[in-house]
Amino acid sequence: MRARARTKELDADLHGLFEYFENNKLKVCEGIMARNIGDILLQVDDEHMADAEIWIRKAIETDMSNGIRWYLATDHALYADWLKKKGDLSSAAEQLTRAVEIFRECGADGWVEKYEKELGAFS
């Protein structure tokens, strides 16, 4: 569904996604699922922007409480995408900076490089 949303070919039942989340029994998957739902909503259309933010923030909160740092970094990177789409470039840069810091802590050098380049585009 996420791939189809990115190519604007989504014809899925969004309600079904929410049911999958509610029926999830694996705590480790909560943040992943919330982030993916937020990403799908972000891609669908501008009418889902507020809902996308709720799900992205839920992913951040969940991955922070679960201590899953790499996923937390990807959550912040997605939140930066949401903020860019909203037009808030300074807040987007803050979120990308957080993502880079966490990726660096994780030793994810390729991701650090990718998002540092993206941060450079804000200058």
Side-chain angles (χ1 to χ4, degrees):
M1 291 181 81
R2 188 170 157 223
R4 289 196 322 248
R6 288 191 174 273
T7 60
K8 307 299 183 203
E9 296 176 14
L10 183 67
D11 60 352
D13 172 25
L14 294 176
H15 182 69
L17 281 177
F18 307 141
E19 284 183 27
Y20 284 130
F21 182 85
E22 293 301 323
N23 292 327
N24 172 49
K25 304 281 190 250
L26 299 172
K27 190 171 185 79
V28 71
C29 293
E30 287 178 7
I32 298 165
M33 293 176 79
R35 181 179 54 259
N36 284 329
I37 291 170
D39 190 16
I40 289 167
L41 292 171
L42 179 63
Q43 302 304 322
V44 172
D45 58 37
D46 291 344
E47 293 177 25
H48 289 87
M49 287 287 290
D51 292 329
E53 182 184 25
I54 290 167
W55 284 97
I56 295 166
R57 285 178 176 257
K58 183 181 296 219
I60 290 170
E61 180 181 310
T62 300
D63 288 333
M64 189 178 302
S65 69
N66 290 342
I68 305 176
R69 304 292 290 162
W70 192 86
Y71 290 151
L72 179 61
T74 61
D75 299 337
H76 283 289
L78 180 60
Y79 198 24
D81 289 343
W82 185 89
L83 289 160
K84 280 191 290 187
K85 189 170 183 176
K86 185 180 169 200
D88 186 350
L89 298 183
S90 64
S91 295
E94 288 176 23
Q95 291 297 317
L96 271 183
T97 299
R98 286 185 191 151
V100 166
E101 290 169 357
I102 297 168
F103 280 130
R104 187 171 282 119
E105 290 170 12
C106 294
D109 297 335
W111 292 100
V112 169
E113 184 179 326
K114 172 186 173 25
Y115 288 114
E116 281 181 337
K117 284 180 186 174
E118 200 170 313
L119 270 170
F122 285 97
S123 301

